[in-house]
Every structure is written in structure tokens, then in C-alpha cells.
């Protein structure tokens, strides 16, 4: 298994509610600071791009 290198979001303020991102050549992984090993979302770059496009179109979904 590939060792992931996590980076904290630059939009994160102080505290335990930060998004962390790690990427491989084929996947993007997202997790939250308060639960970094249990709740990991894994997606392809295309799937994450599609999700972000939908959320940008309708910010009320967030």
C-alpha cells in the first residue's frame, strides 16, 4: 500500500475542523483533522472535479 502524504487545507483556521488532502497518481484522499484515520474519502480526480463543479454551481448544497 502506498504511504500517503497529508497536507492541511490552506483555508483551515485553528482547531480540529480542518480538511486534509493526500494524492497519488490515481486517487485523491480527503479526511478531517478530528478523525484522520477513520473517515477517509477516496475519489478519482475526475470524480472530485465533478463534485466540486456541482457544489460551485449550487452553494446551497454545502
Amino acid at each position: 500500500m502506498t504511504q500517503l502524504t497529508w497536507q492541511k487545507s490552506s483555508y483551515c483556521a485553528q482547531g480540529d475542523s480542518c480538511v486534509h488532502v493526500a494524492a497519488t497518481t490515481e486517487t485523491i484522499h480527503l479526511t478531517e483533522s478530528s478523525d484522520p484515520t477513520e473517515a477517509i474519502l477516496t475519489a478519482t480526480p475526475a470524480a472530485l472535479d465533478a463534485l466540486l463543479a456541482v457544489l460551485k454551481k449550487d452553494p446551497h448544497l454545502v
Side-chain angles (χ1 to χ4, degrees):
M1 183 172 166
T2 303
Q3 180 69 25
L4 298 175
T5 302
W6 294 95
Q7 295 179 314
K8 183 168 66 170
S9 170
S10 60
Y11 290 98
C12 182
Q14 298 290 337
D16 287 339
S17 296
C18 300
V19 173
H20 291 249
V21 178
T24 68
T25 56
E26 298 158 354
T27 56
I28 297 172
H29 309 271
L30 302 170
T31 192
E32 182 187 2
S33 296
S34 64
D35 192 14
T37 60
E38 297 297 324
I40 299 174
L41 170 73
T42 302
T44 64
L48 185 60
D49 187 48
L51 172 63
L52 293 175
V54 168
L55 294 174
K56 286 178 184 178
K57 276 186 178 178
D58 190 350
H60 295 99
L61 293 174
V62 177

